[in-house]
PDB file of all heavy atoms in Angstrom:
ATOM      1  N   THR A 322     -10.594  34.507  10.974  1.00  0.00           N
ATOM      2  CA  THR A 322     -10.127  35.735  11.496  1.00  0.00           C
ATOM      3  C   THR A 322      -9.804  35.618  12.962  1.00  0.00           C
ATOM      4  O   THR A 322      -8.823  36.188  13.439  1.00  0.00           O
ATOM      5  CB  THR A 322     -11.119  36.916  11.227  1.00  0.00           C
ATOM      6  OG1 THR A 322     -11.450  36.909   9.828  1.00  0.00           O
ATOM      7  CG2 THR A 322     -10.586  38.257  11.771  1.00  0.00           C
ATOM      8  N   GLN A 323     -10.682  34.912  13.765  1.00  0.00           N
ATOM      9  CA  GLN A 323     -10.378  34.758  15.134  1.00  0.00           C
ATOM     10  C   GLN A 323      -9.120  33.961  15.372  1.00  0.00           C
ATOM     11  O   GLN A 323      -8.293  34.309  16.201  1.00  0.00           O
ATOM     12  CB  GLN A 323     -11.543  34.000  15.733  1.00  0.00           C
ATOM     13  CG  GLN A 323     -11.444  33.872  17.259  1.00  0.00           C
ATOM     14  CD  GLN A 323     -11.702  35.189  17.969  1.00  0.00           C
ATOM     15  OE1 GLN A 323     -12.800  35.773  17.842  1.00  0.00           O
ATOM     16  NE2 GLN A 323     -10.769  35.595  18.800  1.00  0.00           N
ATOM     17  N   VAL A 324      -8.848  32.936  14.505  1.00  0.00           N
ATOM     18  CA  VAL A 324      -7.670  32.081  14.749  1.00  0.00           C
ATOM     19  C   VAL A 324      -6.367  32.825  14.335  1.00  0.00           C
ATOM     20  O   VAL A 324      -5.376  32.829  15.108  1.00  0.00           O
ATOM     21  CB  VAL A 324      -7.722  30.801  13.877  1.00  0.00           C
ATOM     22  CG1 VAL A 324      -6.486  30.015  13.835  1.00  0.00           C
ATOM     23  CG2 VAL A 324      -8.860  29.822  14.516  1.00  0.00           C
ATOM     24  N   LEU A 325      -6.369  33.530  13.231  1.00  0.00           N
ATOM     25  CA  LEU A 325      -5.187  34.150  12.735  1.00  0.00           C
ATOM     26  C   LEU A 325      -4.874  35.471  13.309  1.00  0.00           C
ATOM     27  O   LEU A 325      -3.737  35.801  13.525  1.00  0.00           O
ATOM     28  CB  LEU A 325      -5.344  34.335  11.140  1.00  0.00           C
ATOM     29  CG  LEU A 325      -5.405  33.042  10.228  1.00  0.00           C
ATOM     30  CD1 LEU A 325      -5.381  33.496   8.788  1.00  0.00           C
ATOM     31  CD2 LEU A 325      -4.345  32.113  10.650  1.00  0.00           C
ATOM     32  N   PHE A 326      -5.855  36.216  13.812  1.00  0.00           N
ATOM     33  CA  PHE A 326      -5.730  37.564  14.313  1.00  0.00           C
ATOM     34  C   PHE A 326      -6.156  37.760  15.747  1.00  0.00           C
ATOM     35  O   PHE A 326      -5.931  38.841  16.272  1.00  0.00           O
ATOM     36  CB  PHE A 326      -6.419  38.589  13.404  1.00  0.00           C
ATOM     37  CG  PHE A 326      -5.890  38.717  12.034  1.00  0.00           C
ATOM     38  CD1 PHE A 326      -6.430  37.922  10.976  1.00  0.00           C
ATOM     39  CD2 PHE A 326      -4.750  39.439  11.720  1.00  0.00           C
ATOM     40  CE1 PHE A 326      -5.999  38.060   9.717  1.00  0.00           C
ATOM     41  CE2 PHE A 326      -4.385  39.588  10.386  1.00  0.00           C
ATOM     42  CZ  PHE A 326      -4.856  38.821   9.421  1.00  0.00           C
ATOM     43  N   ASP A 327      -6.778  36.789  16.249  1.00  0.00           N
ATOM     44  CA  ASP A 327      -7.333  36.878  17.638  1.00  0.00           C
ATOM     45  C   ASP A 327      -8.358  38.166  17.719  1.00  0.00           C
ATOM     46  O   ASP A 327      -8.206  38.882  18.608  1.00  0.00           O
ATOM     47  CB  ASP A 327      -6.308  36.957  18.663  1.00  0.00           C
ATOM     48  CG  ASP A 327      -6.875  36.788  20.101  1.00  0.00           C
ATOM     49  OD1 ASP A 327      -7.970  36.221  20.277  1.00  0.00           O
ATOM     50  OD2 ASP A 327      -6.228  37.206  21.075  1.00  0.00           O
ATOM     51  N   PHE A 328      -9.138  38.221  16.601  1.00  0.00           N
ATOM     52  CA  PHE A 328      -9.980  39.419  16.457  1.00  0.00           C
ATOM     53  C   PHE A 328     -11.438  38.879  16.199  1.00  0.00           C
ATOM     54  O   PHE A 328     -11.592  38.118  15.290  1.00  0.00           O
ATOM     55  CB  PHE A 328      -9.468  40.228  15.316  1.00  0.00           C
ATOM     56  CG  PHE A 328     -10.153  41.562  15.045  1.00  0.00           C
ATOM     57  CD1 PHE A 328      -9.899  42.755  15.811  1.00  0.00           C
ATOM     58  CD2 PHE A 328     -11.205  41.634  14.168  1.00  0.00           C
ATOM     59  CE1 PHE A 328     -10.530  43.874  15.554  1.00  0.00           C
ATOM     60  CE2 PHE A 328     -11.928  42.844  13.892  1.00  0.00           C
ATOM     61  CZ  PHE A 328     -11.572  43.878  14.686  1.00  0.00           C
ATOM     62  N   GLU A 329     -12.366  39.466  16.954  1.00  0.00           N
ATOM     63  CA  GLU A 329     -13.701  39.002  16.798  1.00  0.00           C
ATOM     64  C   GLU A 329     -14.342  39.971  15.697  1.00  0.00           C
ATOM     65  O   GLU A 329     -14.632  41.093  15.989  1.00  0.00           O
ATOM     66  CB  GLU A 329     -14.511  39.146  18.003  1.00  0.00           C
ATOM     67  CG  GLU A 329     -15.942  38.588  17.952  1.00  0.00           C
ATOM     68  CD  GLU A 329     -16.735  38.759  19.186  1.00  0.00           C
ATOM     69  OE1 GLU A 329     -16.215  39.438  20.218  1.00  0.00           O
ATOM     70  OE2 GLU A 329     -17.763  38.205  19.390  1.00  0.00           O
ATOM     71  N   GLN A 330     -14.542  39.412  14.574  1.00  0.00           N
ATOM     72  CA  GLN A 330     -15.137  40.163  13.409  1.00  0.00           C
ATOM     73  C   GLN A 330     -16.605  40.055  13.513  1.00  0.00           C
ATOM     74  O   GLN A 330     -17.264  38.993  13.341  1.00  0.00           O
ATOM     75  CB  GLN A 330     -14.580  39.747  12.031  1.00  0.00           C
ATOM     76  CG  GLN A 330     -15.326  40.264  10.837  1.00  0.00           C
ATOM     77  CD  GLN A 330     -15.310  41.836  10.812  1.00  0.00           C
ATOM     78  OE1 GLN A 330     -14.607  42.440  11.517  1.00  0.00           O
ATOM     79  NE2 GLN A 330     -16.106  42.354   9.890  1.00  0.00           N
ATOM     80  N   LEU A 331     -17.367  41.137  13.631  1.00  0.00           N
ATOM     81  CA  LEU A 331     -18.795  41.215  13.746  1.00  0.00           C
ATOM     82  C   LEU A 331     -19.387  42.149  12.690  1.00  0.00           C
ATOM     83  O   LEU A 331     -18.775  43.182  12.390  1.00  0.00           O
ATOM     84  CB  LEU A 331     -19.244  41.714  15.089  1.00  0.00           C
ATOM     85  CG  LEU A 331     -18.985  40.842  16.383  1.00  0.00           C
ATOM     86  CD1 LEU A 331     -19.419  41.554  17.525  1.00  0.00           C
ATOM     87  CD2 LEU A 331     -19.653  39.473  16.156  1.00  0.00           C
ATOM     88  N   LEU A 332     -20.531  41.731  12.147  1.00  0.00           N
ATOM     89  CA  LEU A 332     -21.310  42.542  11.256  1.00  0.00           C
ATOM     90  C   LEU A 332     -22.662  42.736  11.940  1.00  0.00           C
ATOM     91  O   LEU A 332     -23.406  41.767  12.018  1.00  0.00           O
ATOM     92  CB  LEU A 332     -21.370  41.861   9.873  1.00  0.00           C
ATOM     93  CG  LEU A 332     -22.126  42.725   8.804  1.00  0.00           C
ATOM     94  CD1 LEU A 332     -21.325  43.995   8.452  1.00  0.00           C
ATOM     95  CD2 LEU A 332     -22.364  41.905   7.504  1.00  0.00           C
ATOM     96  N   GLU A 333     -22.950  43.995  12.273  1.00  0.00           N
ATOM     97  CA  GLU A 333     -24.129  44.192  13.181  1.00  0.00           C
ATOM     98  C   GLU A 333     -25.178  45.067  12.477  1.00  0.00           C
ATOM     99  O   GLU A 333     -26.059  45.618  13.036  1.00  0.00           O
ATOM    100  CB  GLU A 333     -23.699  44.856  14.427  1.00  0.00           C
ATOM    101  CG  GLU A 333     -22.669  44.016  15.216  1.00  0.00           C
ATOM    102  CD  GLU A 333     -22.311  44.697  16.496  1.00  0.00           C
ATOM    103  OE1 GLU A 333     -21.470  45.668  16.489  1.00  0.00           O
ATOM    104  OE2 GLU A 333     -22.830  44.337  17.522  1.00  0.00           O
ATOM    105  N   ILE A 334     -25.229  44.974  11.049  1.00  0.00           N
ATOM    106  CA  ILE A 334     -26.236  45.796  10.323  1.00  0.00           C
ATOM    107  C   ILE A 334     -27.620  45.359  10.691  1.00  0.00           C
ATOM    108  O   ILE A 334     -28.493  46.205  10.768  1.00  0.00           O
ATOM    109  CB  ILE A 334     -25.937  45.524   8.791  1.00  0.00           C
ATOM    110  CG1 ILE A 334     -24.658  46.292   8.392  1.00  0.00           C
ATOM    111  CG2 ILE A 334     -27.125  46.093   8.001  1.00  0.00           C
ATOM    112  CD1 ILE A 334     -24.267  46.113   6.961  1.00  0.00           C
ATOM    113  N   PHE A 335     -27.762  44.008  10.866  1.00  0.00           N
ATOM    114  CA  PHE A 335     -29.148  43.497  11.068  1.00  0.00           C
ATOM    115  C   PHE A 335     -29.543  43.483  12.544  1.00  0.00           C
ATOM    116  O   PHE A 335     -30.646  43.006  12.761  1.00  0.00           O
ATOM    117  CB  PHE A 335     -29.238  42.164  10.451  1.00  0.00           C
ATOM    118  CG  PHE A 335     -28.888  42.148   8.967  1.00  0.00           C
ATOM    119  CD1 PHE A 335     -27.669  41.566   8.525  1.00  0.00           C
ATOM    120  CD2 PHE A 335     -29.611  42.740   8.068  1.00  0.00           C
ATOM    121  CE1 PHE A 335     -27.340  41.550   7.161  1.00  0.00           C
ATOM    122  CE2 PHE A 335     -29.384  42.771   6.680  1.00  0.00           C
ATOM    123  CZ  PHE A 335     -28.166  42.155   6.248  1.00  0.00           C
ATOM    124  N   LYS A 336     -28.759  43.961  13.410  1.00  0.00           N
ATOM    125  CA  LYS A 336     -29.092  44.045  14.764  1.00  0.00           C
ATOM    126  C   LYS A 336     -29.852  45.338  15.101  1.00  0.00           C
ATOM    127  O   LYS A 336     -29.444  46.403  14.628  1.00  0.00           O
ATOM    128  CB  LYS A 336     -27.876  43.873  15.633  1.00  0.00           C
ATOM    129  CG  LYS A 336     -27.252  42.511  15.725  1.00  0.00           C
ATOM    130  CD  LYS A 336     -26.119  42.523  16.711  1.00  0.00           C
ATOM    131  CE  LYS A 336     -25.465  41.056  16.803  1.00  0.00           C
ATOM    132  NZ  LYS A 336     -24.385  41.066  17.703  1.00  0.00           N
ATOM    133  N   PRO A 337     -30.780  45.378  16.068  1.00  0.00           N
ATOM    134  CA  PRO A 337     -31.333  46.593  16.515  1.00  0.00           C
ATOM    135  C   PRO A 337     -30.229  47.379  17.143  1.00  0.00           C
ATOM    136  O   PRO A 337     -29.267  46.981  17.712  1.00  0.00           O
ATOM    137  CB  PRO A 337     -32.377  46.198  17.568  1.00  0.00           C
ATOM    138  CG  PRO A 337     -32.685  44.778  17.173  1.00  0.00           C
ATOM    139  CD  PRO A 337     -31.433  44.127  16.605  1.00  0.00           C
TER     140      PRO A 337
END
Side-chain angles (χ1 to χ4, degrees):
T322 302
Q323 187 73 58
V324 170
L325 296 186
F326 295 93
D327 193 20
F328 184 86
E329 185 180 11
Q330 169 58 12
L331 292 178
L332 185 64
E333 301 183 282
I334 290 176
F335 303 109
K336 289 184 179 181

